[in-house]
Amino acid sequence: GAVVSQHPSWVICKSGTSVKIECRSLDFQATTMFWYRQFPKQSLMLMATSNEGSKATYEQGVEKDKFLINHASLTLSTLTVTSAHPEDSSFYICSADTGQGVNYGYTFGSGTRLTVV
Amino acid sequence: DQQVKQNSPSLSVQEGRISILNCDYTNSMFDYFLWYKKYPAEGPTFLISISSIKDKNEDGRFTVFLNKSAKHLSLHIVPSQPGDSAVYFCAARDTDKLIFGTGTRLQVFP
């Protein structure tokens, strides 16, 4: 089955630094990947849709200059949280469109817990 | 504006009984609805889905019912097992992206 690998699984960084999170499709090519953010006991909020070779489409209210998304290849999308602050601490999850139809068309990574101190 | 809502944050069910998780939505243009199971610090895993043109879909112990007029869907798990304990999210598809509900924590006790 389609596997999405997300790295790192957790990261602690100092306020003001930048953090990069990687999302890789291991056994398929993903032209479209999605980045979500989850606050404790809340929903997964879609941040942006990442398309290979083009600019990401950000959801309303998401700062594109703060959350930089790059989808340079068909198997890798990255999310960079720039100048991180404690309020950026959250659980970030990526998913990839496997092209296998609706049911298994959205395969999720295991998530990244970001803590900004 | 929460387009997909799960009004019960938690549910506790005895092993062997039926678990019913509910989900409401506001956008009549959603074409598919999906249920995901999620453990802490992990990504969601797909459980079952239903097309907006259907009213029921069944897969083993899991059945999803869709009531389009009420903009309501529910996931039935029967019989419930302790291993079903997790957070369940419903999601609705809007073109190519998924809109998630807030989740319901299911606890199945012996």
Side-chain angles (χ1 to χ4, degrees), chain B residues 13-19 61 77-81 84 108-109:
Chain B
V13 173
Q14 188 172 31
E15 181 179 7
R17 307 292 279 261
I18 184 171
S19 295
R61 296 186 299 115
I77 306 173
V78 57
S80 301
Q81 300 173 353
D84 296 329
V108 180
F109 59 93

Side-chain angles (χ1 to χ4, degrees), chain B:
Chain B
D1 179 28
Q2 191 75 28
Q3 295 188 70
V4 180
K5 297 180 183 180
Q6 293 174 257
N7 292 318
S8 298
S10 64
L11 176 67
S12 188
V13 173
Q14 188 172 31
E15 181 179 7
R17 307 292 279 261
I18 184 171
S19 295
I20 300 176
L21 296 96
N22 295 302
C23 180
D24 298 294
Y25 63 95
T26 58
N27 188 344
S28 59
M29 298 304 292
F30 291 141
D31 66 342
Y32 262 93
F33 302 90
L34 303 89
W35 284 93
Y36 287 85
K37 182 178 181 180
K38 185 181 181 302
Y39 294 109
E42 293 185 11
T45 54
F46 170 77
L47 271 178
I48 191 170
S49 70
I50 188 167
S51 164
S52 61
I53 63 173
K54 305 274 188 178
D55 55 18
K56 177 182 176 181
N57 187 28
E58 188 173 355
D59 183 3
R61 296 186 299 115
F62 302 93
T63 303
V64 57
F65 295 92
L66 175 62
N67 182 334
K68 285 191 68 176
S69 60
K71 294 190 175 67
H72 176 85
L73 64 153
S74 60
L75 173 68
H76 292 211
I77 306 173
V78 57
S80 301
Q81 300 173 353
D84 296 329
S85 298
V87 177
Y88 290 77
F89 287 95
C90 70
R93 189 171 79 165
D94 179 5
T95 55
D96 65 341
K97 60 188 181 184
L98 295 182
I99 310 297
F100 282 84
T102 48
T104 296
R105 180 176 302 280
L106 172 65
Q107 182 177 10
V108 180
F109 59 93

Side-chain angles (χ1 to χ4, degrees), chain A residues 9 32 34 36 38 41-46 49 51 59 91 93-95 97 101-113, chain B residues 2 32-34 36 38 40-50 57 59 87 89 93 95-103 105:
Chain A
S9 56
T32 304
F34 304 90
Y36 293 84
Q38 185 187 23
K41 298 184 179 180
Q42 293 191 27
S43 177
L44 283 76
M45 300 299 297
L46 180 65
T49 301
N51 295 297
E59 295 298 305
F91 190 62
I93 309 176
C94 69
S95 76
D97 183 352
V102 172
N103 287 356
Y104 295 96
Y106 302 91
T107 298
F108 287 80
S110 54
T112 298
R113 169 73 60 192
Chain B
Q2 191 75 28
Y32 262 93
F33 302 90
L34 303 89
Y36 287 85
K38 185 181 181 302
E42 293 185 11
T45 54
F46 170 77
L47 271 178
I48 191 170
S49 70
I50 188 167
N57 187 28
D59 183 3
V87 177
F89 287 95
R93 189 171 79 165
T95 55
D96 65 341
K97 60 188 181 184
L98 295 182
I99 310 297
F100 282 84
T102 48
R105 180 176 302 280

